[in-house]
Every structure is written in structure tokens, then in C-alpha cells.
Amino acid sequence: MKLLDTFVAKVIEASDYTEDDMFYLRNRVLALVGEDGAEQETQETDLIALKEELVDLAVKNGKVGELMAEKDCLGAELMNFITPIPSQVNRRFWDTYAKSPQQAVADFYDLSKRNDYIKIAAIAKNIAFTTPSQYGDIQITINLSKPEKDPKAIAAAKLTKASSYPKCQLCMENEGYQGRINHPARANHRIIRLNLGDEKWGFQYSPYAYFNEHCIILNTEHVPMVISKNTFAQLLDIVDIFPGYFAGSNSDLPIVGGSILTHNHYQGGRHVFPMEIAELDNEFHFKGYSDVTASYSIHYTKLYDDTQSLSRWSSCLSNGNSRAGQ
């Protein structure tokens, strides 16, 4: 099988393109990877594997550099052929959601895997296990999926013209962004639009997931993270919108975590954390809300200057048979 022909056939099979688009697709791919070697034989049938062979061919043809960031930009552009434009993705999502929220989420997750936005092969390198302790089972994850910084890429980034677009990796402007040495490729990136209360937000998946179906819910405006009363209302909205998903927030304090504090966002996914199955402690009730049972835990952390820092985790809420909160 010829490399170019096989890739084009797989694109047609996995997208809205038809056989009438074959020559158009061939020419667009040739423009990206070069003509030399495009007719070489391949044993691959998987679309992502074919994409990788085309990227290697483009490097040989001098159409793209050898740095991982440069190859990622081309790879994302090739996988964009099977990715519908944002308006179509959103229309299909919400049309399906009206019939089955679970199916709408499953379809969007499947698209994000098929178009290689979610790096399935890289994520498979992660190591995850549990170990018992006096406090219950501890979940441990060693993340090996995210690429290490390449010294050559670091050197190249110093020579790259500074840019503040997009402002950060969580901004809506990342959708379809070509990418550069110091900013990831996002040509095949799509975001579902939704409302949390009276605010406009977006829903996407994490390329390098820490847990199953790791997603990010982000404010469409580049505004800093703030933990407030509204935070808890929005988290509960999220678990209502996305059945089977948990929703949680990093702290808005720089000393607590490594999150992007400059852009308000939440994280979620299809995963059960130890806190969700822990027995309730310090139980109490709210006046006027007798059907709600709440509890809290307090965790103290010793800081470098020997002062104590209090990190307050959100309540585990129980309403009927359901429990929500991170």
C-alpha cells in the first residue's frame, strides 16, 4: 500500500470527506510533507501511525524541522483533516446531548482520541497503582507521558520572537492554533461551548491525562482563578451537565499547586478518588437544608519558615444517594 494513498483513504473513512475529495486531500497533504517519498510503501493501517510516517517524511524533505515541537505542529495539522470545524463539533455535541448526554460526551471523547489530540500512546507509559496505608488506600501516579524539555528546543525558544498570543494554554484562542516552538500545536483542538450560571465556559480534554477521561472546564475569558461561593455552584453545575464525571478545582494559591492560576478553570473526569469513597467525618447540617449532609477535613502543611498553612478541602456533599464535590 502506498503511504499517501492509504492516509487519504483513512481520512475519508474517518471524516466528512468523500471520494470526490481524494485529489484535493492528496494535494493538501503533499503541500505539507513534500512529494518525494509520498508513494513509498507502508505496512501501517492505523491513521495515527500513518500520520507519524508522513511527519518523518516531511522531516526528510525539509518541510519541517527535527524538533519535537515542530513535528507536533505538522502532526496536528495532518490530524485536523479528520476533525470537524468547531461549529460542527458543537452542533453535533448538543444535538446528541438532547437525546443522550452520555453519548454526546462519549462521542466528543472518541473524536479527541481519534484525531490524536489526546495522546493515547504517550499516556499508556504512565504508571499508576494503589498502596494501603492507615488512612486507606493511597493512589500513586507516575506521569511519564508528557515529553521532557528538549535542550535543543529550549535553545531554539530563546531565539523565537516573543508572543503573548494565546495568552496561556487554557485560552479559547488555542482552538485551531498552529503552535510554535514554545507553545503547543492545537490545530486539531476543539472546545465545547457551555454556560455555567450566567458565564460562558468551554469543555475540552487534557492531551496528557492524569486519570480516565481527564477533562478541563475553562472560562472563555482570560481571568485569574478565584475560589469563592460561585466556585461551588459551578462545580455542582458541571457534575449535573456531565453525568458520571467528577469536578474539582485546584487551589487559587501559588504555594499549593502547579495549576495555571492566571486562567480560571476546573478539572474533571471519570475517576473515583479516595476522598469520594472515604467515610464521612465531622458531620453537620445546614439550617433550612435538612436533606443535605456535609462534612469536612482539615490538612496542615509545614512550610519552609516553620509557619503553619491551612489547606481546606471542599465538603463531601450528600443529597439523597448522590455525592458530589472535590
Side-chain angles (χ1 to χ4, degrees):
M1 298 182 292
K2 305 293 186 183
L3 174 57
L4 178 60
D5 291 341
T6 306
F7 180 78
V8 168
K10 288 295 180 180
V11 166
I12 292 173
E13 180 182 312
S15 70
D16 295 331
Y17 289 110
T18 71
E19 290 296 328
D20 291 340
D21 302 309
M22 180 184 64
F23 291 117
Y24 166 82
L25 287 169
R26 283 176 56 90
N27 289 328
R28 297 322 305 152
V29 173
L30 287 173
L32 295 172
V33 306
E35 297 182 24
D36 291 346
E39 298 301 321
Q40 68 187 36
E41 295 290 327
T42 181
Q43 300 301 314
E44 297 291 349
T45 57
D46 176 72
L47 185 59
I48 294 175
L50 290 164
K51 177 263 296 183
E52 296 292 345
E53 287 195 1
L54 286 171
V55 170
D56 291 340
L57 179 63
V59 173
K60 292 179 182 178
N61 288 339
K63 300 291 285 187
V64 68
E66 296 182 352
L67 296 177
M68 181 61 69
E70 296 172 304
K71 293 192 290 185
D72 282 347
C73 287
L74 175 58
E77 192 167 359
L78 288 169
M79 297 310 291
N80 193 42
F81 284 118
I82 70 162
T83 311
I85 61 176
S87 58
Q88 289 182 347
V89 172
N90 275 265
R91 184 175 64 253
R92 290 173 183 175
F93 179 90
W94 291 112
D95 284 350
T96 303
Y97 188 95
K99 303 172 185 175
S100 171
Q102 293 88 346
Q103 190 60 53
V105 171
D107 289 349
F108 183 55
Y109 181 60
D110 181 64
L111 171 65
S112 300
K113 290 188 296 181
R114 288 190 296 108
N115 74 353
D116 200 36
Y117 181 74
I118 299 176
K119 305 297 183 183
I120 297 299
I123 294 170
K125 300 175 184 177
N126 292 344
I127 300 172
F129 58 94
T130 60
T131 185
S133 78
Q134 59 179 315
Y135 305 106
D137 288 346
I138 299 174
Q139 294 183 0
I140 299 175
T141 302
I142 303 173
N143 193 308
L144 302 174
S145 61
K146 211 164 186 179
E148 294 289 337
K149 295 280 187 179
D150 184 346
K152 293 181 180 179
I154 294 173
K158 292 180 179 180
L159 303 176
T160 302
K161 183 179 178 180
S163 174
S164 59
Y165 181 86
K167 291 180 180 178
C168 78
Q169 293 184 26
L170 294 178
C171 284
M172 295 291 291
E173 289 85 350
N174 283 278
E175 190 174 47
Y177 186 65
Q178 182 67 17
R180 56 182 189 270
I181 293 293
N182 55 359
H183 195 96
R186 293 290 184 259
N188 57 339
H189 177 38
R190 299 295 183 265
I191 303 172
I192 300 299
R193 276 69 171 170
L194 60 106
N195 292 327
L196 295 181
D198 58 357
E199 294 182 1
K200 296 185 182 299
W201 286 67
F203 165 72
Q204 67 174 65
Y205 284 102
S206 174
Y208 298 99
Y210 291 128
F211 41 78
N212 189 35
E213 298 185 40
H214 184 177
C215 63
I216 301 171
I217 301 91
L218 51 94
N219 196 308
T220 57
E221 300 294 328
H222 184 71
V223 294
M225 287 189 66
V226 176
I227 303 299
S228 66
K229 179 180 178 180
N230 196 38
T231 298
F232 297 93
Q234 290 177 337
L235 288 173
L236 292 173
D237 281 346
I238 292 169
V239 296
D240 283 342
I241 295 170
F242 301 105
Y245 277 17
F246 79 88
S249 175
N250 293 94
S251 170
D252 56 356
L253 301 175
I255 61 173
V256 177
S259 184
I260 301 177
L261 299 181
T262 57
H263 196 122
N264 200 14
H265 69 285
Y266 305 116
Q267 299 187 56
R270 200 178 299 279
H271 184 79
V272 177
F273 285 96
M275 188 170 76
E276 186 175 348
I277 59 177
E279 294 184 6
L280 295 178
D281 194 12
N282 304 310
E283 188 173 296
F284 61 95
H285 297 272
F286 298 99
K287 185 178 181 179
Y289 298 92
S290 59
D291 58 337
V292 176
T293 300
S295 70
Y296 65 89
S297 62
I298 300 177
H299 171 68
Y300 290 93
T301 304
K302 191 92 167 178
L303 297 182
Y304 302 115
D305 60 358
D306 290 330
T307 61
Q308 295 292 335
S309 171
L310 177 62
S311 176
R312 296 170 297 174
W313 295 93
S314 60
S315 301
C316 289
L317 301 178
S318 177
N319 189 352
N321 292 324
S322 65
R323 178 182 296 181
Q326 286 299 114

